[in-house]
Amino acid sequence: MSPLQFLADLLNPDLAFLPKALLIAVLAAVMCGVVGCYVVLRGMAFIGDAVAHAVFPGLAIAFLFSGSLVLGGTVAGIVTALLVSVFAQNRRLREDSVIGIFFVAAFALGIVIISRAPGYAGSLQQFLFGSITGIPDRDLYVVGGATAVVLLATLLLHKEFVAVTLDREMARALGLRVFWLDVALYVLVTVAVVMAVQTIGNILVLALLVTPAATARLLTDRLPTMMWLAPVIGAGCATAGLYLSWSWDLPTGGTIVLTLTAAFLLAQLLAPRHGLLPRLVTAAGGA
């Protein structure tokens, strides 16, 4: 299918779910791209994966009672993030140990809950791998509102997040409330993950959070540039992935992730300063 045919399908009233799927994918990618920059800079990739597990019981409870999956996942993720933030204050345990305990326990709770629902196997597959073409219209407004809130929060707290990222002890010395900034970042990651779960599923969501930011990190040394480049890469790959999946009848979530990975590999190979080929050329010229 050519890009023009894909555009025609987007404008086809009989395929109203397709532009909605594209909009949801782009919004989720933008949100994850911005928040993912802090995740990558702080070496918190495990957080994204753990939060994806943490939202699962909320999704399961919402499904069981025919409620909002977005609301259920957000509440579950925030509650778990708060528990982790509190228990991680005990310095006898590393933060990643506390995260591993609570988030895996939350995922297990979600499996137990959803097993009580009739026909849960199909629902479990939807949660794990996404169902971008089956998203209700009301979720468009929820995802749009969540994107606006996340972008506004990162704009207001950007300097504080950067200070904590660079040096936590110095941030404390400057009077910043590091604990509450950690909580705020966990909450933003949770919201971004819940929105992205609908796009590419619980298992693959880490790619949308980390890969665009990691790709941008290879392409620039400037944080402001990275902050806008990551969402652009995420949105572009989400659009390309949806196009490829629609053209060749492939799973949408998996195709988007593979597109993101291809962009990362290209950056790893061709990035002007940090790419493999430019470094080889520089080394050869120096020799």
Side-chain angles (χ1 to χ4, degrees), residues 164-186:
V164 174
T165 297
L166 295 177
D167 192 328
R168 295 176 67 85
E169 296 307 319
M170 179 63 72
R172 284 194 178 93
L174 292 173
L176 297 180
R177 298 182 177 182
V178 174
F179 170 77
W180 290 110
L181 287 169
D182 285 343
V183 171
L185 184 56
Y186 288 158

Side-chain angles (χ1 to χ4, degrees), residues 1-284:
M1 175 185 291
S2 69
L4 287 178
Q5 289 174 307
F6 180 62
L7 180 61
D9 285 347
L10 286 173
L11 300 176
N12 187 343
D14 294 331
L15 300 174
F17 66 89
L18 190 58
K20 181 173 66 174
L22 177 59
L23 181 57
I24 289 284
V26 168
L27 288 174
V30 168
M31 198 175 350
C32 286
V34 171
V35 175
C37 288
Y38 302 111
V39 172
V40 168
L41 290 174
R42 291 180 61 170
M44 293 169 53
F46 180 53
I47 294 287
D49 193 29
V51 169
H53 288 69
V55 303
F56 193 57
L59 296 173
I61 292 172
F63 174 79
L64 198 60
F65 293 99
S66 301
S68 169
L69 298 182
V70 171
L71 179 60
T74 302
V75 170
I78 290 174
V79 168
T80 311
L82 287 172
L83 287 173
V84 168
S85 298
V86 171
F87 279 86
Q89 298 306 301
N90 183 347
R91 292 305 175 186
R92 287 186 63 83
L93 290 176
R94 286 175 57 88
E95 187 178 40
D96 56 355
S97 299
V98 179
I99 290 169
I101 292 168
F102 277 101
F103 286 167
V104 173
F107 188 70
L109 177 61
I111 293 175
V112 171
I113 292 171
I114 201 171
S115 69
R116 310 305 299 169
Y120 81 94
S123 306
L124 183 62
Q125 183 177 5
Q126 176 181 337
F127 293 144
L128 294 180
F129 302 107
S131 181
I132 193 172
T133 56
I135 297 173
D137 290 342
R138 66 177 181 273
D139 283 358
L140 276 175
Y141 303 103
V142 175
V143 175
T147 302
V149 169
V150 168
L151 294 180
L152 178 61
T154 54
L155 180 64
L156 294 175
L157 296 173
H158 175 69
K159 291 181 179 178
E160 288 79 3
F161 283 156
V162 172
V164 174
T165 297
L166 295 177
D167 192 328
R168 295 176 67 85
E169 296 307 319
M170 179 63 72
R172 284 194 178 93
L174 292 173
L176 297 180
R177 298 182 177 182
V178 174
F179 170 77
W180 290 110
L181 287 169
D182 285 343
V183 171
L185 184 56
Y186 288 158
V187 170
L188 292 177
V189 171
T190 297
V191 173
V193 164
V194 171
M195 302 306 146
V197 160
Q198 299 181 92
T199 306
I200 59 177
N202 191 275
I203 289 178
L204 303 176
V205 70
L206 184 63
L208 204 58
L209 188 69
V210 173
T211 309
T215 304
R217 179 70 172 154
L218 291 173
L219 296 174
T220 180
D221 294 324
R222 292 176 49 81
L223 181 57
T225 304
M226 180 182 173
M227 293 295 297
W228 67 258
L229 190 57
V232 167
I233 292 170
C237 289
T239 302
L242 183 62
Y243 163 66
L244 293 173
S245 70
W246 181 250
S247 299
W248 295 339
D249 193 25
L250 300 171
T252 304
T255 307
I256 290 175
V257 171
L258 291 176
T259 306
L260 287 166
T261 306
F264 172 77
L265 293 175
L266 282 174
Q268 187 77 41
L269 188 65
L270 302 174
R273 293 189 60 184
H274 305 289
L276 178 60
L277 287 182
R279 281 187 292 173
L280 288 175
V281 170
T282 301

